[in-house]
């Protein structure tokens, strides 16, 4: 069984389950949209948003809703202990990690398709003026966040207080990713967009992605063997 | 890879300060059905988890033929079938989808034919496309058993396999287990349903407080011999 085929099987199975229940997509999307709307009521006065608020709110919405998605994605594998069935199967265990990671990423990208235009609208933020760079920041930032989150969500799947522990462990480690995402986006939203600074933060995000994904692939198997 | 024996030597497993298994030694060979009995919390599921490679012993060694789990890796896992207390099936998916998924994950040849045969054995062909969430406990149990045996494992670990089964399904499972013995499968089974497995298993051992005790063959039913031993131990 090749690595990529295993990844594909896991992603396909998760997609099939999600297409049937739509539980994770709807809850994550609802939470992200609510988050943006609540901040919009707080930070937009007389039609004028607070300066620099848009980038922070966008990334907070991604981080909060991503945490929700990560928890739910592994809750499914816990219900009938199907995670154990997958760990016993003759597959590369890191492929299981990558499969779950890709599933979470696809879900978060769908959420971002909705909340990025929403933030642009509510905060009058020119998020599409440098669309490619903005897309690069979103993709790289989401990968870094989800790479760590998927590992922690898998580790905590049998912990009794996993819902509390996941954000407590996840946010301190992913703060560099969130800061890089916020500063890179803010650089693009300035009156005179600072492309060089945005590129520098994008490079940082790529660096974090490589480090986090490598560490997660390296540690997933020992961590999952009880 | 193939192997014809499972050997545990002085296997100890601790969870923090709690000792679940203490110096358990056990050997099963191909074509043998071994019952692993004991009260709740005796360490039966821990032993099955170690045999399934999900859990590593704190001390001691587990060998599959002449291989260890660490050395043999994925190839060994592909020869082990596990039916856990939780059923390891996705309730949102149908019986066909569950079996197809696991068949593909195991990289089996001719998955559709295997799935059809498994559905027929589980007597679930008429509910094949219904989500498993709507099945009764017995139907789920039958499906989970077929999932565990889909890849013709060499070592089968069954944790309370008779749970939720009616008389007909229980008889079918007994026949299935006897069939596994015929083809040289090593079967480890934990159950509290001693009457059902009496006469089926080749040997029975008991775990009590993490230690292994052999239930000697002799006069009386398996239940009687088990009771005598637990009374003596108490």
């Amino acid at each position: 069984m090749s690595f990529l085929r295993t990844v594909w099987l896991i992603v396909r199975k998760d997609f099939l389950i999600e297409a049937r229940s739509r539980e994770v997509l709807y809850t994550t999307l609802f939470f992200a949209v609510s988050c943006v709307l609540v901040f919009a009521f707080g930070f937009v006065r007389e039609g004028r948003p607070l300066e620099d608020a848009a980038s922070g709110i966008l990334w907070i919405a991604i981080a909060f809703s991503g945490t929700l998605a990560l928890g739910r994605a592994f809750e499914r594998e816990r219900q009938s202990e199907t995670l154990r069935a997958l760990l016993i199967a003759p597959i590369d265990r890191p492929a299981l990690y990558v499969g779950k990671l890709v599933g979470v990423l696809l879900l978060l990208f769908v959420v971002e398709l909705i909340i990025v235009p929403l933030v642009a609208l509510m905060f009058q933020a020119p998020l599409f003026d440098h669309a490619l760079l903005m897309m690069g920041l979103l993709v790289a930032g989401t990968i870094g966040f989800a790479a760590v989150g998927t590992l922690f969500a898998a580790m905590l799947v049998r912990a009794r207080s996993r819902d509390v522990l996941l954000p407590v462990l996840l946010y301190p480690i992913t703060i560099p990713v969130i800061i890089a995402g916020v500063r890179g986006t803010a650089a693009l939203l300035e009156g005179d967009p600072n492309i060089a600074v945005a590129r520098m933060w994008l490079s940082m995000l790529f660096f974090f992605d490589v480090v986090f994904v490598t560490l997660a692939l390296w540690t997933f198997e020992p961590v999952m063997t009880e | 890879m193939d192997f014809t024996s499972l050997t545990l030597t002085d296997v100890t497993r601790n969870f923090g300060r709690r000792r679940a298994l203490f110096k358990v030694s056990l050997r099963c060979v191909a074509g043998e059905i071994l019952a692993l009995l004991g009260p709740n919390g005796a360490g039966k599921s821990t032993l099955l988890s170690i045999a399934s490679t999900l859990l590593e012993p704190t001390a001691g060694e587990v060998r599959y033929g002449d291989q260890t789990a660490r050395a043999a890796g994925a190839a060994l896992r592909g020869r082990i079938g596990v039916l856990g207390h939780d059923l390891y099936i996705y309730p949102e998916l149908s019986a066909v989808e569950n079996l197809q998924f696991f068949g593909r994950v195991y990289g089996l040849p001719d998955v559709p034919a295997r799935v059809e045969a498994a559905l027929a054995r589980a007597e679930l062909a008429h509910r094949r496309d219904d989500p498993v969430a709507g099945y009764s406990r017995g139907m789920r149990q039958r499906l989970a058993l077929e999932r565990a045996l889909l890849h013709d494992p060499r070592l089968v670990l069954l944790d309370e396999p008779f749970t939720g089964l009616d008389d007909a399904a229980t008889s079918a499972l007994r026949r299935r287990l006897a069939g596994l013995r015929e083809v040289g499968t090593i079967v480890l089974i934990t159950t509290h349903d001693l009457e059902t497995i009496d006469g089926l298993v080749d040997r029975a051992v008991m775990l009590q407080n993490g230690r292994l005790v052999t239930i000697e063959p002799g006069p009386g039913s398996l239940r009687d011999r088990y009771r005598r031993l637990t009374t003596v131990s108490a």
Side-chain angles (χ1 to χ4, degrees):
Chain A
M1 171 74 51
S2 76
F3 190 93
L4 286 178
R5 180 162 166 73
T6 306
V7 171
W8 162 243
L9 286 172
I10 303 286
V11 172
R12 188 173 168 273
K13 181 265 299 171
D14 280 349
F15 180 79
L16 200 60
I17 292 175
E18 183 55 30
R20 233 157 253 177
S21 66
R22 291 185 192 159
E23 177 199 349
V24 185
L25 177 65
Y26 284 171
T27 50
T28 308
L29 199 54
F30 181 77
F31 188 77
V33 169
S34 304
C35 196
V36 172
L37 289 178
V38 167
F39 280 121
F41 279 110
F43 292 116
V44 180
R45 295 282 163 83
E46 296 167 2
R48 293 171 62 85
L50 205 68
E51 206 178 335
D52 279 353
S55 59
I57 286 157
L58 175 65
W59 283 95
I60 283 175
I62 291 170
F64 283 6
S65 57
T67 310
L68 191 71
L70 286 162
R72 296 304 301 165
F74 276 93
E75 183 66 18
R76 274 186 185 144
E77 301 291 353
R78 195 187 65 83
Q79 278 170 359
S80 295
E81 289 285 6
T82 42
L83 187 61
R84 289 170 77 91
L86 293 174
L87 291 172
I88 297 167
I91 54 175
D92 287 332
R93 285 173 175 167
L96 169 59
Y97 164 80
V98 175
K100 298 304 282 187
L101 172 62
V102 170
V104 169
L105 283 174
L106 290 175
L107 187 87
L108 287 180
F109 290 149
V110 172
V111 170
E112 285 167 13
L113 278 178
I114 307 293
I115 61 165
V116 171
L118 186 66
V119 169
L121 181 74
M122 302 298 287
F123 293 88
Q124 298 156 33
L127 287 168
F128 299 105
D129 284 3
H130 299 276
L132 266 181
L133 254 180
M134 187 64 226
M135 205 161 78
L137 287 166
L138 283 169
V139 169
T142 311
I143 289 174
F145 180 80
V148 180
T150 303
L151 179 67
F152 284 170
M155 277 167 60
L156 294 171
V157 76
R158 282 182 215 97
R160 203 166 293 164
S161 44
R162 57 191 164 276
D163 293 334
V164 178
L165 283 173
L166 181 59
V168 168
L169 290 172
L170 180 60
Y171 294 151
I173 306 239
T174 52
I175 271 183
V177 171
I178 296 170
I179 290 174
V182 170
R183 295 318 309 157
T185 308
L188 290 179
L189 298 183
E190 287 172 12
D192 183 16
N194 195 334
I195 303 297
V197 170
R199 283 200 174 128
M200 185 271 288
W201 286 114
L202 180 60
S203 308
M204 291 287 282
L205 282 174
F206 281 131
F207 171 73
F208 289 138
D209 287 355
V210 171
V211 171
F212 287 158
V213 171
T214 307
L215 281 176
L217 285 171
W218 185 43
T219 53
F220 186 75
E221 175 146 9
V223 157
M224 295 313 292
T225 306
E226 291 171 81
Chain B
M1 76 163 279
D2 204 5
F3 54 94
T4 54
S5 65
L6 168 71
T7 311
L8 286 79
T9 310
D10 290 336
V11 167
T12 296
R13 174 69 205 200
N14 302 330
F15 292 102
R17 297 177 64 182
R18 189 173 69 81
R19 179 164 286 174
L21 295 174
F22 182 66
K23 292 203 166 188
V24 170
S25 294
L26 181 68
R27 183 176 159 82
C28 318
V29 294
E32 185 176 29
I33 303 179
L34 177 75
L36 189 58
L37 310 177
N40 294 329
K44 303 186 295 292
S45 297
T46 303
L47 189 62
L48 288 193
S49 291
I50 289 174
S52 71
T53 74
L54 272 174
L55 203 60
E56 287 191 356
T58 310
E61 188 184 58
V62 184
R63 283 195 169 268
Y64 306 81
D66 57 357
Q67 295 267 32
T68 62
R70 196 177 282 271
L76 169 69
R77 297 201 300 272
R79 301 296 286 140
I80 300 175
V82 182
L83 172 64
H85 192 259
D86 296 292
L87 298 178
Y88 303 175
I89 44 179
Y90 294 96
E92 299 89 347
L93 301 182
S94 67
V96 171
E97 288 163 343
N98 267 290
L99 293 171
Q100 280 177 346
F101 171 69
F102 283 105
R104 287 174 185 144
V105 161
Y106 274 81
L108 302 178
D110 202 9
V111 171
R114 281 176 187 260
V115 168
E116 290 307 319
L119 285 171
R121 278 193 298 269
E123 297 180 15
L124 288 170
H126 63 297
R127 298 284 301 270
R128 49 183 293 144
D129 295 319
D130 294 352
V132 171
Y135 287 11
S136 69
R137 169 73 202 201
M139 291 163 79
R140 288 185 205 199
Q141 187 79 11
R142 290 187 332 246
L143 175 64
L145 180 75
E146 291 306 324
R147 183 207 57 75
L149 301 179
L150 193 65
H151 55 292
D152 299 326
R154 166 62 80 180
L155 171 64
V156 174
L157 306 166
L158 305 172
D159 195 353
E160 296 287 350
F162 295 100
T163 305
L165 298 185
D166 59 22
D167 289 346
T170 299
S171 301
L173 177 54
R174 278 178 58 98
R175 286 196 298 275
R176 192 79 200 280
L177 293 176
L180 291 175
R181 172 167 45 207
E182 294 299 311
V183 296
T185 309
I186 306 167
V187 181
L188 245 75
I189 180 169
T190 78
T191 184
H192 295 288
D193 198 353
L194 304 193
E195 285 73 22
T196 303
I197 58 163
D198 203 354
L200 172 73
V201 298
D202 300 298
R203 218 157 35 102
V205 293
M206 186 180 82
L207 272 171
Q208 196 161 39
N209 299 323
R211 291 168 190 269
L212 197 74
V213 183
T214 303
I215 301 176
E216 298 294 346
S221 66
L222 181 59
R223 170 77 69 190
D224 291 338
R225 284 181 280 142
Y226 175 71
R227 271 207 191 117
R228 276 200 293 274
L229 208 54
T230 48
T231 311
V232 169
S233 302

